[in-house]
């Protein structure tokens, strides 16, 4: 069998990006992937298909709610669900084929099948054993469920099943008000389902800035999403077409039952490393089932590395990609590095929600003095023209040095706007640096500048 400098296990955003960087650095590289297509969860059953459905359903929402106001009259479009799924599949196909093209371009071998590691330096795929100087595990994560909840991917579904339902449910129950629950809950609510989100905590999207959480919940409720907060789901009982969800309110222990055509379980994901043979190799794991790595992403077994959802840190495609590139550089004898303090998070609802760096809570915990610059999109001309003026930009900066420590945005294009702050943070910029940068008018990004101005002498338009 061929000998490689590197074999990457898993072709998700972590694995495929890592492989391409390895090849670009002159390493003979192969990727093991057992799915029929490359791209992992993100491209096949995650980020990309969900964004296609979010995009399509948002167009419908605009047609139903804003077209007439702009003088665009006539019947709103009706939903052809089969065609919407076909559009989503076409988007997946284009993206996964794109990775296949990049593999060919970079002379990366795709070893088709599920890989295991019989010994350091060896990867087994089917009956073949391949030799590799370095092995990089990028095997990702899988949905985690709850006791009492049996997923059938038809009536009780994870995000995977929710992207391929055979019809739009009349009633949907979403368990968990995290990113997946709110993104996919929004899709089906816009397409006409009555969506109820049951959340264990008293807030949605745990870990986010509390002001963002409050505004986000208010906007989603206005759009029609229903919330049952502070409730722990106990069990689901499903037939072939319907389900009952039993939950307990935490404050008084009262038990309630709610009916649904579809139940989406969105209570988190867990690292996936089954079948790799890590136990036998003696690879050290964390108590949460993640692979333990050092600063160079190497495990305790020399020559075996791990990146992405299967190690510690936020389960985000872009975090995995950054680790993939950095680990490739480490393997090539360079100095790959990831700045974990500047990893943005984005929720692709409407409006979008984005954050980077510290929150007021984490700064308080650290006892750090900070100032807050906040600007409402209500004062942004472009947002007002586009019926997108709900939300705000909030920048947190060090009270003494003015250095930007974090940002929290809820509003139009938040997922793009956040990167202006990310770049500023990477360069160690102050809020004043952002505030003194000329921003084109009229753009949403002026709201970021105004929030930076609010850290100093004050914004202009509020
Ligand atoms: P999550 O961890 O974001 O949210 C899960 C929610 O379920 C939490 O609010 C939790 O309190 C709640 N919950 C847990 N047990 C419960 C129970 N028994 N009853 C009611 N509520 C319960 O997990 P989610 O949304 O499934 O996402 C998984 C991972 O995928 C996350 O790490 C997320 O960051 C990532 N992801 C990121 C996306 C993005 O960047 N846009 C999109 C989709 C997923």
């Amino acid at each position: 069998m061929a000998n490689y400098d590197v074999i990457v296990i898993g072709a998700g955003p972590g694995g495929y990006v890592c492989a391409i960087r390895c090849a670009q650095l002159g390493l003979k590289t192969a990727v093991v992937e057992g799915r029929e297509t490359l791209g992992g969860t993100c491209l096949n059953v995650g980020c990309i298909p969900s964004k296609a459905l979010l995009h399509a359903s948002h167009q419908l929402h605009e047609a139903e709610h804003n077209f007439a106001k702009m003088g665009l009259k006539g019947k709103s479009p009706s939903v052809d669900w089969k065609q919407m799924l076909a559009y989503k599949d076409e988007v997946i196909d284009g993206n996964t084929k794109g990775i296949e093209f990049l593999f060919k371009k970079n002379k990366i071998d795709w070893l088709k099948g599920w890989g295991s590691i019989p010994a350091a330096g060896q990867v087994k795929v089917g009956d073949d054993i391949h030799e590799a100087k370095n092995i990089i595990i990028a095997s990702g994560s899988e949905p985690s469920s709850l006791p009492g909840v049996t997923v059938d991917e038809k009536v009780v579904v994870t995000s995977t099943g929710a992207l391929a339902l055979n019809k739009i449910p009349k009633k949907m129950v979403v368990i968990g008000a995290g990113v997946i629950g709110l993104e996919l809950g929004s899709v089906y609510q816009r397409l006409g389902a009555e969506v109820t989100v049951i959340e264990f905590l008293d807030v949605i999207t745990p870990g986010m800035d509390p002001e963002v959480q409050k505004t986000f919940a208010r906007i989603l409720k206005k759009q029609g999403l229903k919330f049952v907060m502070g409730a722990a789901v106990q069990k689901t009982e499903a037939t072939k077409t319907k389900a009952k969800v039993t939950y307990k309110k935490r404050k008084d222990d009262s038990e309630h039952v709610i009916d649904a055509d579809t139940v989406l379980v969105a209570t988190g994901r867990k690292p996936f490393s089954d079948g790799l043979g890590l136990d036998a190799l003696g690879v050290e794991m964390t108590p949460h089932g993640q692979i333990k790595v050092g600063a160079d992403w190497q495990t305790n077994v020399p020559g075996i590395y791990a990146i992405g959802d299967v190690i510690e840190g936020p389960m985000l495609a872009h975090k995995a990609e950054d680790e993939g590139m950095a680990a490739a550089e480490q393997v090539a004898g360079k100095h790959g590095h990831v700045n974990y303090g500047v990893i943005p998070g984005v929720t692709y609802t409407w409006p979008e929600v984005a954050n980077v760096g510290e929150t007021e809570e984490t700064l308080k915990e650290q006892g750090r003095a900070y100032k807050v610059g906040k600007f409402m999109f209500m004062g942004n001309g472009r947002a007002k023209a586009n019926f997108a003026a709900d939300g705000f930009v909030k920048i947190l900066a060090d009270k003494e040095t003015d250095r930007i420590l974090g940002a929290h945005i809820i509003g139009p294009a938040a997922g793009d706007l956040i990167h202006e702050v990310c770049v500023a943070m990477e360069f160690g910029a102050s809020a004043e640096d952002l505030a003194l940068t000329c921003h084109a008018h009229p753009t949403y990004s002026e709201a970021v500048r105004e929030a930076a101005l609010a850290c100093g002498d004050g914004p202009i338009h509020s």
Side-chain angles (χ1 to χ4, degrees):
M1 283 297 120
N3 286 332
Y4 292 98
D5 293 313
V6 181
I7 294 182
V8 181
I9 300 180
Y16 85 70
V17 166
C18 179
I20 291 172
R21 177 58 94 229
C22 285
Q24 288 171 340
L25 293 170
L27 303 169
K28 190 170 159 45
T29 306
V31 175
V32 186
E33 174 56 60
R35 267 182 213 271
E36 290 302 311
T37 48
L38 301 172
T41 300
C42 177
L43 271 70
N44 289 284
V45 287
C47 328
I48 297 296
S50 64
K51 259 80 270 175
L53 295 185
L54 279 158
H55 177 67
S57 59
H58 178 62
Q59 304 303 313
L60 177 68
H61 180 92
E62 284 292 283
E64 286 174 345
H65 295 87
N66 291 331
F67 274 16
K69 291 187 228 165
M70 294 186 276
L72 298 167
K73 299 255 166 118
K75 236 177 107 213
S76 285
S78 60
V79 179
D80 177 344
W81 180 234
K82 266 202 180 135
Q83 176 55 32
M84 202 179 281
L85 290 180
Y87 147 68
K88 175 215 64 172
D89 290 338
E90 212 175 295
V91 171
I92 296 173
D93 195 52
N95 278 280
T96 55
K97 290 230 171 77
I99 309 296
E100 232 177 299
F101 163 78
L102 290 175
F103 274 18
K104 283 193 187 121
K105 185 179 159 200
N106 287 285
K107 301 190 173 41
I108 296 165
D109 289 344
W110 175 4
L111 308 174
K112 294 187 185 179
W114 300 102
S116 62
I117 311 173
Q122 291 187 345
V123 175
K124 187 166 185 254
V125 185
D127 294 330
D128 299 333
I129 298 211
H130 304 268
E131 307 279 334
K133 287 184 205 133
N134 302 282
I135 297 166
I136 302 180
I137 302 168
S139 48
S141 60
E142 59 178 354
S144 62
S145 190
L146 293 170
V149 174
T150 308
V151 170
D152 56 29
E153 294 296 11
K154 295 233 158 8
V155 174
V156 182
V157 298
T158 65
S159 49
T160 304
L163 292 166
L165 295 179
N166 55 20
K167 60 176 195 249
I168 298 163
K170 282 203 174 67
K171 280 177 139 192
M172 177 180 233
V173 167
V174 175
I175 311 176
V179 190
I180 293 183
L182 298 183
E183 285 185 356
L184 290 174
S186 289
V187 165
Y188 286 101
Q189 188 274 325
R190 292 171 191 165
L191 296 177
E194 182 189 317
V195 178
T196 306
V197 182
I198 305 178
E199 167 57 47
F200 181 79
L201 301 172
D202 295 321
V203 292
I204 65 169
T205 53
M208 264 189 204
D209 173 85
E211 261 186 287
V212 169
Q213 287 174 330
K214 247 173 89 186
T215 306
F216 195 16
R218 173 180 57 75
I219 294 174
L220 292 174
K221 278 183 203 157
K222 204 166 120 199
Q223 288 172 4
L225 280 176
K226 293 190 176 135
F227 288 93
V228 179
M229 303 303 292
V233 168
Q234 307 293 303
K235 62 175 177 184
T236 55
E237 293 158 282
T239 64
K240 274 193 181 140
T241 52
K242 296 224 173 292
K244 278 185 190 310
V245 180
T246 306
Y247 63 89
K248 250 188 190 171
K249 292 287 276 181
R250 287 195 298 133
K251 65 169 190 249
D252 58 10
D253 245 11
S254 59
E255 203 168 89
H256 306 258
V257 180
I258 181 169
D259 292 323
D261 305 304
T262 303
V263 179
L264 167 61
V265 186
T267 51
R269 296 181 63 86
K270 56 181 185 202
F272 177 76
S273 59
D274 293 358
L276 290 177
L278 301 185
D279 251 8
L281 284 164
V283 172
E284 261 187 73
M285 309 292 283
T286 71
H288 303 293
Q290 298 139 324
I291 299 174
K292 252 194 185 174
V293 293
D296 59 353
W297 295 277
Q298 196 160 191
T299 67
N300 61 315
V301 180
I304 301 183
Y305 296 72
I307 56 165
D309 283 8
V310 79
I311 67 169
E312 285 176 288
M315 288 186 169
L316 297 170
H318 44 282
K319 174 256 194 190
E321 289 180 26
D322 278 26
E323 288 174 344
M325 284 194 280
E329 283 167 16
Q330 290 284 349
V331 166
K334 295 174 176 286
H335 303 284
H337 172 73
V338 174
N339 180 359
Y340 287 101
V342 186
I343 298 203
V346 180
T347 310
Y348 299 87
T349 42
W350 183 268
E352 289 183 349
V353 181
N355 60 280
V356 65
E358 306 286 353
T359 62
E360 289 192 65
E361 281 55 44
T362 56
L363 290 171
K364 278 177 200 150
E365 276 164 27
Q366 294 163 33
R368 291 176 76 177
Y370 65 93
K371 50 189 175 176
V372 179
K374 193 175 157 194
F375 185 77
M376 308 298 287
F377 276 103
M378 216 39 218
N380 178 274
R382 184 71 180 277
K384 271 159 83 173
N386 293 1
F387 301 114
D390 216 348
F392 58 86
V393 179
K394 182 176 182 177
I395 291 179
L396 306 176
D398 188 282
K399 195 157 191 178
E400 292 303 313
T401 66
D402 196 36
R403 189 180 172 137
I404 301 171
L405 303 172
H408 304 275
I409 308 177
I410 176 163
D416 290 297
L417 296 182
I418 197 75
H419 295 95
E420 174 176 359
V421 185
C422 294
V423 173
M425 287 175 74
E426 281 287 353
F427 280 79
S430 63
E432 189 184 35
D433 289 327
L434 260 192
L436 292 179
T437 303
C438 183
H439 284 61
H441 176 73
T443 57
Y444 296 138
S445 64
E446 286 173 289
V448 177
R449 182 196 202 176
E450 294 266 22
L453 279 164
C455 289
D457 294 335
I460 303 296
H461 294 93
S462 73

